[in-house]
Amino acid sequence: RDFGRADPLLVRALAIREKAFGPEHPDVADTLVALADLYRTRGDLLRAGPLYGRAIAILEKTLGPGHSSYAQALNNLAMVYHAIGNYEEAEPLLARALAIREKMLGPEHPELVELKSLLAWFTTIPPVTPIEGNRTPAEGDERRSILQVSTFRRRRSSPNCSAAGSNAIKRSAASGMTT
């Protein structure tokens, strides 16, 4: 995968959409999520978090807190917080995403199995951190399949690291940083 080429294209697409639709449009939020997904995939979690946060604010305002895109963005930000070891931020976001999806699909819908598994996983398993390349250790493969993130591995995170990462994400989001 050529992430290096995708980054400037998504940044350009974001600028075009912001100019065409304004900064609070759902299409802008979609592009923010795509860019945040790219950053999260390559392990740049401190850049991904604020973009998800901004997208969540736009989606809540424009589409409402019951929309599937809003729920997905909550889920993705929860993954970032979990990856940096901040369970206190991750769990409520994922719980909100699950509640939205349950309301949309019904509590017994098969698509909810993954979200319920993730929520259970968040409460019982240590955080994960990005690793380079596409190879992952054999240990823990079943956990990665639940997350569907093939480039993560388990690590133990200090509380200071998790708090510092969460605070950096929040400061970036508050300052309006988009890339």
Side-chain angles (χ1 to χ4, degrees):
R1 296 182 181 186
D2 191 356
F3 294 132
R5 287 186 58 205
D7 190 343
L9 293 173
L10 284 169
V11 169
R12 184 169 174 230
L14 178 60
I16 291 168
R17 284 186 166 180
E18 286 177 324
K19 185 176 180 180
F21 304 123
E24 300 290 315
H25 194 275
D27 287 351
V28 170
D30 288 344
T31 307
L32 288 166
V33 168
L35 186 57
D37 286 344
L38 171 68
Y39 292 154
R40 184 170 59 101
T41 298
R42 70 180 194 199
D44 195 348
L45 303 175
L46 294 181
R47 287 180 81 185
L51 297 176
Y52 286 132
R54 182 172 166 215
I56 288 166
I58 293 168
L59 293 168
E60 183 174 30
K61 187 176 186 179
T62 59
L63 302 179
H67 196 275
S68 62
S69 294
Y70 176 76
Q72 187 60 50
L74 289 172
N75 178 79
N76 293 353
L77 182 56
M79 298 295 289
V80 168
Y81 281 135
H82 187 267
I84 64 171
N86 188 336
Y87 308 114
E88 294 78 23
E89 300 275 349
E91 290 175 35
L93 291 173
L94 192 61
R96 280 175 44 204
L98 177 60
I100 293 164
R101 302 283 293 175
E102 280 183 335
K103 189 173 182 179
M104 291 172 54
L105 302 171
E108 300 301 318
H109 197 280
E111 285 184 28
L112 298 178
V113 171
E114 182 180 348
L115 276 177
K116 288 177 181 181
S117 296
L118 278 171
L119 191 55
W121 190 83
F122 275 19
T123 60
T124 60
I125 298 186
V128 292
T129 189
I131 62 171
E132 298 197 16
N134 290 327
R135 285 191 68 183
T136 56
E139 176 220 317
D141 281 340
E142 68 284 352
R143 294 177 181 144
R144 277 184 296 282
S145 68
I146 291 172
L147 277 174
Q148 296 183 343
V149 178
S150 64
T151 59
F152 281 39
R153 71 172 181 216
R154 293 180 60 194
R155 78 168 165 101
R156 301 227 187 313
S157 175
S158 74
N160 293 338
C161 174
S162 105
S166 293
N167 290 336
I169 288 170
K170 289 175 184 174
R171 278 192 308 275
S172 295
S175 71
M177 185 174 124
T178 59
T179 58

